[in-house]
Amino acid sequence: MPVIPVVAIDGPSASGKGTVAERVAKALGFHYLDSGALYRLVALAARNKLLSATDVSQLESLTRQMDARFDSGKVYLEGHDVTDEIRSEWCSREASILAALPEIRAGLLDRQHAFRQIPGLVADGRDMGSVVFPDASLKVFLTATSAIRAKRRYNQLKDKGISASMEDLLKDIAERDARDAGRPIAPLQQAGARVLDTSSLTIEQSVDKVLGWFSELRLQVS
Ligand code: DC
């Protein structure tokens, strides 16, 4: 097992990988990287600077220079708490569009690597196992059917008092899946990962499955 172990959890939008990854990190006492939040922060920072997806060189410097901070479950951009703002449907869509730009992906690499600290890291995203941490100890591809993912997203929004239509959510999820899996650079892919379909699993069952795989691996190398 590498000196600082990484558990990479990749998967499509609204698959629940964030919740599972965070809980796995907590159970192991590892650090946690929500790489999607970084792409969302770039989208927000670009909007603040009035940049669009065609302003590639400015977007690249913005990506490298933005002051992004994660602290006690909160996300800060240039010192402002943007925890809720980065979860908006607008930010989800823009992040997925900007994430297709190789300059932005390259600009975020060092930031992501910096999260790999003792005693270990659980990282979730689309390319954690394929590009950012190719030597991860465990690579999981966490997914669920699009109908289940739309329903989970619907319930999350409902809990926040936000109304949404299942039809729009399904369409949005299908569009984002196509963009995230169809782009030429670092597409979402299952290759080399253990697939965990959570369609009929609870969060606890999903967490236990990942923890079980990780301890199996630890036993094999010890
Ligand atoms: O995981 P998320 O839904 O918060 O990610 C938001 C967008 O960022 C997603 O549509 C695709 C992009 N993303 C990516 O391309 N690579 C990652 N490692 C994480 C997210």
Side-chain angles (χ1 to χ4, degrees):
M1 206 165 270
V3 184
I4 302 181
V6 175
V7 176
I9 304 185
D10 291 303
S13 300
S15 55
K17 62 188 184 312
T19 312
V20 172
E22 216 174 342
R23 294 200 192 186
V24 169
K26 202 163 174 209
L28 294 171
F30 282 11
H31 300 278
Y32 168 56
L33 164 63
D34 170 3
S35 65
L38 291 173
Y39 289 91
R40 290 167 183 270
L41 283 166
V42 172
L44 207 58
R47 187 180 67 178
N48 292 347
K49 297 265 188 237
L50 305 177
L51 297 177
S52 71
T54 51
D55 302 316
V56 177
S57 66
Q58 285 143 294
L59 282 172
E60 184 174 9
S61 4
L62 180 82
T63 301
R64 291 184 190 273
Q65 286 158 15
M66 69 177 180
D67 169 19
R69 201 161 49 84
F70 295 83
D71 190 6
S72 315
K74 298 265 180 208
V75 186
Y76 299 87
L77 177 64
E78 312 298 341
H80 298 286
D81 181 352
V82 293
T83 316
D84 291 332
E85 212 174 342
I86 58 162
R87 298 292 154 202
S88 68
E89 288 303 301
W90 177 87
C91 231
S92 306
R93 203 167 34 248
E94 276 314 293
S96 163
I97 294 168
L98 294 180
L101 295 174
E103 293 80 1
I104 289 184
R105 305 202 71 82
L108 286 177
L109 261 187
D110 289 347
R111 253 181 227 268
Q112 295 176 87
H113 289 153
F115 279 80
R116 187 175 196 168
Q117 288 183 19
I118 288 168
L121 175 69
V122 179
D124 88 65
R126 305 293 185 290
D127 61 344
M128 296 298 96
S130 56
V131 175
V132 182
F133 302 108
D135 63 339
S137 320
L138 171 64
K139 299 180 186 183
V140 178
F141 184 88
L142 194 143
T143 190
T145 64
S146 39
I148 297 271
R149 289 188 280 136
K151 183 80 176 101
R152 286 177 184 165
R153 182 80 188 122
Y154 178 86
N155 289 339
Q156 268 174 1
L157 291 170
K158 206 169 117 204
D159 287 348
K160 286 191 203 160
I162 303 169
S163 65
S165 96
M166 274 296 284
E167 203 182 322
D168 288 349
L169 288 174
L170 265 171
K171 194 167 144 258
D172 225 58
I173 280 180
E175 273 172 16
R176 249 186 290 159
D177 280 358
R179 233 183 348 248
D180 295 346
R183 67 182 175 223
I185 311 283
L188 172 66
Q189 53 183 317
Q190 296 187 4
R194 298 183 192 213
V195 178
L196 180 57
D197 186 333
T198 66
S199 301
S200 56
L201 298 182
T202 62
I203 293 169
E204 288 70 27
Q205 287 169 327
S206 310
V207 170
D208 286 349
K209 189 80 195 162
V210 177
L211 289 173
W213 281 336
F214 188 67
S215 57
E216 264 171 36
L217 284 171
R218 282 212 147 154
L219 284 175
Q220 278 168 22
V221 292
S222 61

